[in-house]
Amino acid sequence: MALAEIARFTDVYEADLAAAFLASHDIEVSVTERFQTTVDPLMQRALGIRLMAPASQLQRARELLARARAGEFATPEGDDLDETDPGVRAAGTAMAVVAYVTGGFWGTSLPRRFRAPEWRGMLLSALLLAAGLVVLATIFKLALDPP
């Protein structure tokens, strides 16, 4: 039984979802390059993850994936996730910026224990903290002793 490529994905999870979808429609499918891309996630984009199926089911599998991408199988109720509060999003963004500026862990960069501390970020954080304390002291002084 000869296998043929149905589609190629850059994310292993998306490939797994597509494989499960096709399997639910009685198409024998296999996900290739799983080992290489899970050992080194950067290889997902380099190699791609292929979905393979018997050549006799190739056309039907591609049609099903095209229909799924077009939204034909979507449910009318949509996502069951609540909308994120703007304050929560702003706080998360601020925390990410502070972590980046101070040299904290950021994305796939090395954790802090494997690299030298970022002195510029620490200096900037200290200056911002000092400026904030000066502003607060000025506000309290004006509140207690109006001019």
Side-chain angles (χ1 to χ4, degrees), residues 134-146:
V134 167
V135 168
L136 282 176
T138 305
I139 291 172
F140 283 130
K141 182 178 179 185
L142 289 175
L144 296 175
D145 298 328

Side-chain angles (χ1 to χ4, degrees), residues 67-121:
R67 289 170 51 198
R69 285 187 184 115
E72 185 177 327
F73 299 98
T75 57
E77 65 267 1
D79 289 336
D80 59 350
L81 300 175
D82 295 332
E83 190 64 31
T84 305
D85 180 42
V88 172
R89 293 183 68 175
T93 302
M95 289 169 35
V97 168
V98 168
Y100 179 72
V101 168
T102 58
F105 182 74
W106 183 255
T108 58
S109 63
L110 291 174
R112 177 174 227 130
R113 67 180 179 268
F114 293 130
R115 61 187 167 133
E118 181 60 47
W119 65 270
R120 290 170 292 209

Side-chain angles (χ1 to χ4, degrees), residues 1-6 28-32 50-58:
M1 172 171 49
L3 294 178
E5 181 178 322
I6 301 169
E28 300 171 31
V29 65
S30 65
V31 181
T32 63
R50 297 180 297 160
L51 288 185
M52 306 293 281
S56 61
Q57 297 178 330
L58 180 65

